[in-house]
Amino acid sequence: MSTEATLLERCDSKCELCAAQSSLSPYVVAPHTQITVDHAIMLCATCSSQIEQPETMDANHWRCLNDSMWSQVAPVQVMAWRQLKRLSATESWAQDLLDMMYMDEDLQKWAEIGMNDDEDKPRDVNGVELKKGDDITVIKDLPVKGSSMVIKQGTAVRGINLTDDPKHIQGKVNGQTMYIIAEYCRKK
């Protein structure tokens, strides 16, 4: 039997996070890269797209984690924990579920490793990942260290570059290349 068929049998042809029955596909739980029964889960298109693009996350959709967090399947527990952790910053119900959830030490490490991957990426004020070449708008007046210059709110910066520090991006403002704090920007 193929890996995908085994996964479908394990989940009874339902999304392992929200129990939807349409558009299922295997999803490898990071940091793993191979689709195996022990490292992948079956997800619907909605769950998959919201995990891949956190800026499109609909918090109410994830109330399904109330049930799936109790799964006996390790990668399902890991993904439920990660989603609850992301939501806990803005949703009190997610923090409550996270407080109730128990995971053994190895699973907890696996879940946290995947979360650290997300933290190593520059994100704008809305949590949207910034990539090289993106255009951004500065959302507040920023004084430039070592000068009397101020980058004014609303200033557009085109074609940014990434730096070694995920908290900073690099771009040209008034013809000068400068470092800008990513969380004071909004992606266009």
Side-chain angles (χ1 to χ4, degrees):
M1 188 180 325
S2 73
T3 303
E4 191 168 335
T6 305
L7 288 170
L8 281 168
E9 184 179 309
R10 177 181 80 193
C11 69
D12 196 26
S13 297
K14 295 179 184 171
C15 174
E16 292 189 89
L17 293 180
C18 75
Q21 295 181 340
S22 61
S23 305
L24 298 178
S25 60
Y27 178 87
V28 180
V29 181
H32 302 284
T33 56
Q34 300 277 332
I35 296 176
T36 67
V37 174
D38 295 331
H39 301 132
I41 59 177
M42 292 303 282
L43 292 182
C44 66
T46 303
C47 287
S48 184
S49 69
Q50 289 187 34
I51 289 169
E52 293 294 323
Q53 300 166 334
E55 64 274 9
T56 65
M57 190 178 296
D58 172 16
N60 285 325
H61 172 78
W62 294 104
R63 289 186 181 267
C64 61
L65 295 174
N66 190 31
D67 295 326
S68 56
M69 69 185 234
W70 302 111
S71 173
Q72 296 300 306
V73 179
V76 175
Q77 290 179 16
V78 168
M79 284 310 300
W81 186 90
R82 287 180 185 172
Q83 289 305 101
L84 287 170
K85 188 74 172 170
R86 284 187 183 108
L87 288 163
S88 67
T90 57
E91 303 291 330
S92 61
W93 61 265
Q95 184 61 52
D96 293 343
L97 291 178
L98 203 55
D99 291 342
M100 285 190 291
M101 192 170 181
Y102 171 78
M103 292 171 51
D104 63 284
E105 197 173 317
D106 291 340
L107 283 183
Q108 187 73 34
K109 286 180 184 173
W110 180 11
E112 289 171 358
I113 286 170
M115 292 298 288
N116 292 340
D117 290 346
D118 291 343
E119 292 172 9
D120 291 343
K121 298 174 183 170
R123 299 197 178 272
D124 75 358
V125 67
N126 297 320
V128 176
E129 182 183 343
L130 298 172
K131 296 181 177 142
K132 182 178 179 173
D134 284 345
D135 297 336
I136 56 104
T137 303
V138 177
I139 62 163
K140 74 178 242 177
D141 290 353
L142 298 174
V144 177
K145 269 189 181 176
S147 102
S148 61
M149 185 177 159
V150 174
I151 302 172
K152 295 287 185 186
Q153 177 181 349
T155 301
V157 181
R158 304 199 188 290
I160 64 166
N161 287 311
L162 303 181
T163 66
D164 292 336
D165 184 353
K167 294 179 182 159
H168 295 106
I169 57 171
Q170 187 179 35
K172 282 198 173 194
V173 178
N174 298 332
Q176 292 183 320
T177 301
M178 298 188 188
Y179 290 94
I180 303 167
I181 299 170
E183 66 186 43
Y184 295 133
C185 304
R186 179 177 297 117
K187 185 176 175 178
K188 283 187 168 184

